[in-house]
Amino acid sequence: MRFLMVEDSEDLAQSVAERLRLDGHAVDRAGSLSEAEDCLSAAPYDLILLDLSLPDGDGRDFLTRQRRARHDVPIIVMTARAAVSDRVDVLDLGADDYLTKPFDFAELEARCRAVLRRRGGASETVQRFAGFTFNPLTAQLVIAGEPRELRNRELRLLEILLAAPDRIFSKAQLCDRLFSYAESVSDNAIEVYVARLRKKLEGSGAHIDTVRGLGYRLTSA
């Protein structure tokens, strides 16, 4: 998944980004509201982590603009403001969750997973499709009782495809979801990860089809 972190503290942003990247997420950082707007105009995001106190304004204004424009990207507010009134305020403005600084990285990761599950309409962590079960928390794919471990990019690629079976994703769309601006990506990177995931899915009823000239889609036999 691709995250946008709107945070002016470079140290905190780097620490959070490093932790999320270990889970296979791509993370872009914006140090101000204007930078955040530029990022959103250039790429799609699965989740936004938003500080409230930023050099060029209040994160609540950014949140309000996103929701008035009917942009439904999940937003988790991260702030040192701990008053109940502050939490109620941002939740009423349309935030999906609220995390008070300082926070534990494990809690942040859990809240990200919960928000993304709700967005996908899933209440359970384990997903089932075409003869396999998939648990993103353990990075484990199980086919016919046999567990198969997924590497980070393979895991995130499967999450993307599994969220919309039969939908065609272009290489550009998959690159946007899997890699951040800071990462150098070769033309065949997506082909490599698709090939690896196809091998992991062998023995199930799921297939990753190549739609010539368009991209890839996850289908069931």
Side-chain angles (χ1 to χ4, degrees), residues 15 17 19 26 65-66 101 131 176 187 192 194 202 210-211:
S15 297
R19 182 65 179 256
R65 288 195 296 273
Q66 292 301 304
K101 300 176 184 177
D176 283 342
D187 291 340
V192 171
V194 167
E202 288 178 355
T210 299
V211 183

Side-chain angles (χ1 to χ4, degrees), residues 4 28 41 45 67 75 106 118-119 142 155 175 186 189 219-220:
L4 174 62
D28 293 323
S41 66
Y45 290 94
R67 295 313 185 222
I75 298 176
R118 290 199 298 270
R119 186 192 189 198
V142 179
L155 185 153
C175 277
S186 64
T219 63
S220 58

Side-chain angles (χ1 to χ4, degrees), residues 11-190:
D11 290 341
L12 176 61
Q14 183 174 349
S15 297
V16 171
E18 287 177 355
R19 182 65 179 256
L20 293 173
R21 285 169 185 149
L22 287 175
D23 286 340
H25 299 295
V27 183
D28 293 323
R29 180 225 169 184
S32 66
L33 296 179
S34 60
E35 289 180 8
E37 297 286 1
D38 289 342
C39 289
L40 287 171
S41 66
Y45 290 94
D46 299 289
L47 181 68
I48 297 173
L49 302 174
L50 175 66
D51 188 16
L52 295 183
S53 300
L54 292 155
D56 56 348
D58 193 317
R60 288 175 296 188
D61 295 331
F62 172 88
L63 174 60
T64 299
R65 288 195 296 273
Q66 292 301 304
R67 295 313 185 222
R68 284 180 176 172
R70 300 190 181 278
H71 297 157
D72 63 352
V73 179
I75 298 176
I76 297 178
V77 168
M78 307 184 305
T79 178
R81 303 177 191 178
V84 172
S85 59
D86 288 322
R87 296 198 296 272
V88 171
D89 185 28
V90 298
L91 291 171
D92 282 344
L93 288 175
D96 294 86
D97 206 345
Y98 186 108
L99 199 56
T100 304
K101 300 176 184 177
F103 50 78
D104 186 89
F105 287 146
E107 181 180 3
L108 172 62
E109 291 170 319
R111 288 178 181 269
C112 289
R113 291 192 296 266
V115 166
L116 290 170
R117 283 201 306 273
R118 290 199 298 270
R119 186 192 189 198
S123 59
E124 297 182 357
T125 298
V126 177
Q127 297 172 271
R128 296 168 177 82
F129 180 81
F132 71 76
T133 59
F134 169 56
N135 188 336
L137 300 188
T138 60
Q140 193 172 79
L141 177 71
V142 179
I143 298 174
E146 175 191 349
R148 304 180 185 184
E149 300 299 326
L150 297 174
R151 296 182 178 180
N152 286 338
R153 299 291 189 195
E154 297 165 358
L155 185 153
R156 300 307 168 199
L157 176 59
L158 181 55
E159 281 188 316
I160 294 166
L161 297 174
L162 189 54
D166 296 317
R167 174 183 167 183
I168 299 173
F169 291 89
S170 69
K171 285 185 180 181
Q173 288 173 324
L174 293 175
C175 277
D176 283 342
R177 299 282 292 278
L178 289 171
F179 301 98
S180 67
Y181 289 124
E183 295 174 283
S184 177
V185 183
S186 64
D187 291 340
N188 67 344
I190 296 300

Side-chain angles (χ1 to χ4, degrees), residues 198-217:
R198 277 178 173 149
K199 289 183 180 179
K200 298 291 178 68
L201 291 173
E202 288 178 355
S204 73
H207 303 276
I208 301 176
D209 294 337
T210 299
V211 183
R212 188 175 297 277
L214 295 176
Y216 302 97
R217 66 183 173 192

